[in-house]
Structure formats: C-alpha cells, structure tokens
Amino acid sequence: MKVAVIKYNSGNVQSVLYALERLGAEAVLTDEVDEITKADKVIFPGQGEASTAMHYLKERNLDKLIPNLKQPFFGVCLGLQLLCSHSEENNTPCLGVFPVKVKKFLPESYAESKVPHVGWNNLFDLKSPLLKGLDDESFVYYVHSFYAELSEFTIAQTHYIKDFSALLHRDNFYAMQAHPEKSGLVGEKILSNFLKL
C-alpha cells in the first residue's frame, strides 16, 4: 500500500511520516498530481495558516485535484479546516469538501479558556469505523485556534469553550482536528483504522 502525504509547506509533516512508518506504511511526501492520484491512501496533514496554505495548493492545482480524489483521504488539523468551505482565518475560501464553516474560538473567560486550545482533550459521540476500538472519553492532543462547526458530517465531538467537530466524514473523506501522530495509542489506532479502510 502506498500513502501520499500532501506537501504544502505546512509544519508537522515529519512526525506524520514517522507515525506511518511505525505502522508499516510506505509513505511519500509529495505535491505532484500523478503521485497523489496513484496513491492507495492520501493524508493531508498540517499546521499553519489557512490563506497561505490555500495559495500553495492553488499554485499547484491541488485545489482542483483534492475534492475529486476517490481513494480514502484523511485531513489532519489544518488539513481538516482546509477541507471545509470557509475559514475565518484571514477570510479564506477553502476546498468545500465539507460544507462546514471554520470559526475562531472566542474565549468566554481568558482565565478559564485560553486560545489557542493546546493540550489533551477527550472525544465523545463517536460514530464511525474510523474510530473502531475507541471509547467515548478517549483523549487526543490539540493545537488550534479555529474549529469546524458541528454538522451532519461530524463523527466525533470535543468540548473546549463549546462543542465542535473533532472528526468529520463525507464519502471517502475523513478529517481530524487533533494530531493523531501526537496522540499516543489513541492516535495510532485512528491512523491504523484509516489505513485499513
């Protein structure tokens, strides 16, 4: 099985590659259309800023390619947000795979709820084969200031300031706001489940 990890000048890519290597997957970091199209699975990782990342994707026509891919596809962190329709981060139109808006956390009380949301938080209301073997209250690691609203595509939730989409699913597209590669055994299980789809 060949896994394409999409290169778009975002951070955190190496740790995703290491996580896939530990699971025995052959992964290649690429922004080449042919390599991505021919891969058995595609992972869209990332940390960074939405408009800069979208600019990179558009320069390489990946904004047109990604929504039309047919193989299992997994967006992570910024990858989840870019799969949505629009981000409040610099008022950025995104890829539109999920007709969901990405909004900025507004802390109700700075002392209680700091932004960005950094650290471990639990998943609940799990609804997908991607989450097979996990229980409500499984903990994953977050680093983000923006969140995807709840929708019919939400397959797990997390609460921080408010309930938001921890994971999304539509057709062959899956996405996770937390970082599976930094989430210990829970994250490893989610990546392993994705590789088995």
Side-chain angles (χ1 to χ4, degrees), residues 155-166:
I155 57 171
Q157 299 182 39
T158 292
H159 181 87
Y160 186 77
I161 300 177
K162 59 173 58 197
D163 293 346
F164 64 88
S165 292

Side-chain angles (χ1 to χ4, degrees), residues 6-11 13 30-31 44-64 66 76-84 87 89-95:
I6 295 180
K7 173 185 174 185
Y8 62 107
N9 286 353
S10 66
V13 173
T30 182
D31 59 7
F44 189 37
Q47 288 176 303
E49 186 273 324
S51 63
T52 304
M54 281 301 302
H55 179 72
Y56 188 96
L57 294 176
K58 287 176 181 176
E59 281 186 331
R60 288 151 182 83
N61 290 318
L62 297 179
D63 61 318
K64 296 181 177 66
I66 289 170
V76 174
C77 193
L78 180 61
L80 173 144
Q81 296 180 12
L82 295 180
L83 288 171
C84 294
S87 174
E89 188 172 22
N90 290 321
N91 190 27
T92 303
C94 298
L95 296 169

Side-chain angles (χ1 to χ4, degrees), residues 173-189:
F173 288 90
Y174 297 82
M176 179 175 181
Q177 180 60 65
H179 289 276
E181 76 284 359
K182 296 180 179 178
S183 295
L185 293 176
V186 171
E188 186 174 286
K189 180 65 175 173

Side-chain angles (χ1 to χ4, degrees), residues 75-139:
V76 174
C77 193
L78 180 61
L80 173 144
Q81 296 180 12
L82 295 180
L83 288 171
C84 294
S85 58
H86 182 272
S87 174
E88 287 186 353
E89 188 172 22
N90 290 321
N91 190 27
T92 303
C94 298
L95 296 169
V97 169
F98 300 108
V100 175
K101 292 181 180 176
V102 173
K103 298 192 170 183
K104 185 175 176 64
F105 280 122
L106 298 175
E108 295 169 354
S109 165
Y110 186 77
E112 294 176 10
S113 305
K114 296 181 180 180
V115 178
H117 171 208
V118 178
W120 295 85
N121 212 327
N122 67 297
L123 303 173
F124 64 91
D125 198 20
L126 281 57
K127 303 174 184 171
S128 171
L130 185 67
L131 303 169
K132 182 180 178 181
L134 300 181
D135 301 318
D136 273 13
E137 306 304 318
S138 294
F139 279 82

